[in-house]
């Protein structure tokens, strides 16, 4: 069964539109858990545009499932992770000008740096996952960093969904997942997944968890977060092979 990690950044984005106190992503995390999420994902960006330091601290104290802290591989973030002790850290690339994470981390370019970075987090008991594009070279480099997990970037597939490019994008994910497992990596996936395109992803063997944010929070605005999480969880439960 593929488990569901709910990304609550988008709740914080609405809060930050008024720089106020509502809606609170902590409340969203609790509702998501009660509706069946196996974990909560939050991305602490360097510019703090949505999730704040306060959110990360409180999430760690309050949630009963697993906190997956998404972050750039910087010194500042490493110190925050070690102080917070999330269940896992997912390393992502970060550009200030991007609207959302645009691609996977280029592990090949900074393999030695990421290897040392990963080791330090693991020495503190934090599981490390690296968000990468579904490319063999990146999968191999990720395995050489010593990270336990990769998170495969499903963005290209999501964009290609229902177009002529969908099959190629899907095959890239499928082959990258197979190769990762051969290299003893564990595999998560996410980005751009919604209630329709997620179904095909569930045919890929070896994916343990999907991290989904935007589509769930978008549906929640219209029908409520409990229903939005439960609907996604039902799809994962019924389509997982
Ligand atoms: N995984 C990673 C690494 C991400 O950066 C994001 C977006 O914050 C997600 C999953 C969730 O993507 P979406 O909000 O498009 O579902």
């Amino acid at each position: 069964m593929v488990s569901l990690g709910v990304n609550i950044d988008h709740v914080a984005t609405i809060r930050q539109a008024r720089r106020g106190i509502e809606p609170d992503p902590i409340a969203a995390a609790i509702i998501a858990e009660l509706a069946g999420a196996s974990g909560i994902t939050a991305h602490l960006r360097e510019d703090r545009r949505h999730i704040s330091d306060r959110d990360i601290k409180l999430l760690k104290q309050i949630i009963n499932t697993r906190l997956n802290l998404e972050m750039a591989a910087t010194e500042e973030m490493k110190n925050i992770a070690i102080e917070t002790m999330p269940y896992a850290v997912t390393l992502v690339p970060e550009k200030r000008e991007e609207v959302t994470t645009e691609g996977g981390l280029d592990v090949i370019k900074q393999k030695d740096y990421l290897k040392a970075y990963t080791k330090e987090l693991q020495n503190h008991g934090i599981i490390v996952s690296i968000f990468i594009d579904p490319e063999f070279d990146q999968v191999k480099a990720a395995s050489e960093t010593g990270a336990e997990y990769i998170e495969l970037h499903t963005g290209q597939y999501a964009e290609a969904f229902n177009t002529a490019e969908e099959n190629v994008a899907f095959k890239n994910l499928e082959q990258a997942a197979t190769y990762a497992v051969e290299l003893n990596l564990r595999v998560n996936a996410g980005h751009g997944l919604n209630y329709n395109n997620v179904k095909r992803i569930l045919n890929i063997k070896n994916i343990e968890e999907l991290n989904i944010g935007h589509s769930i929070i978008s549906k929640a605005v219209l029908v409520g977060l409990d229903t939005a999480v439960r609907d996604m969880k039902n799809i994962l439960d019924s389509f997982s092979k």
Side-chain angles (χ1 to χ4, degrees), residues 7 9-10 41 43 45 50 70 90-92 100-101 131 151-152 189-194 211-216:
N7 182 317
D9 296 351
H10 309 283
T41 295
H43 183 176
R45 294 186 71 102
H50 39 55
E70 256 184 51
T90 299
L91 300 176
V92 296
T100 180
T101 314
F131 183 59
E151 178 173 331
L152 288 174
H191 209 285
L193 296 178
N194 63 31
N211 285 312
I212 307 180
H214 187 78
S215 63
I216 293 177

Side-chain angles (χ1 to χ4, degrees), residues 68 86-90 121-122 125-129 148-149 186:
N68 173 29
Y87 173 80
V89 152
T90 299
L121 291 173
Q122 288 170 334
I126 302 168
I127 291 171
V128 178
S129 178
E148 290 95 336
Y149 280 86
R186 298 174 71 176

Side-chain angles (χ1 to χ4, degrees), residues 51 57 61 70 76 112 178 212 215 221 237:
I51 293 290
K57 268 199 201 101
Q61 288 171 31
E70 256 184 51
E76 183 201 11
D112 291 342
T178 304
I212 307 180
S215 63
V221 171
D237 290 351

Side-chain angles (χ1 to χ4, degrees), residues 29-30 40 51 63 71-72 84 91 103 110 125 130 136 147 155 163 171 234 238:
I30 294 169
I40 300 296
I51 293 290
I63 68 172
M71 58 184 220
T84 314
L91 300 176
Q110 44 180 339
I130 306 183
F136 287 132
T163 73
K171 283 264 173 304
N234 283 340
S238 40

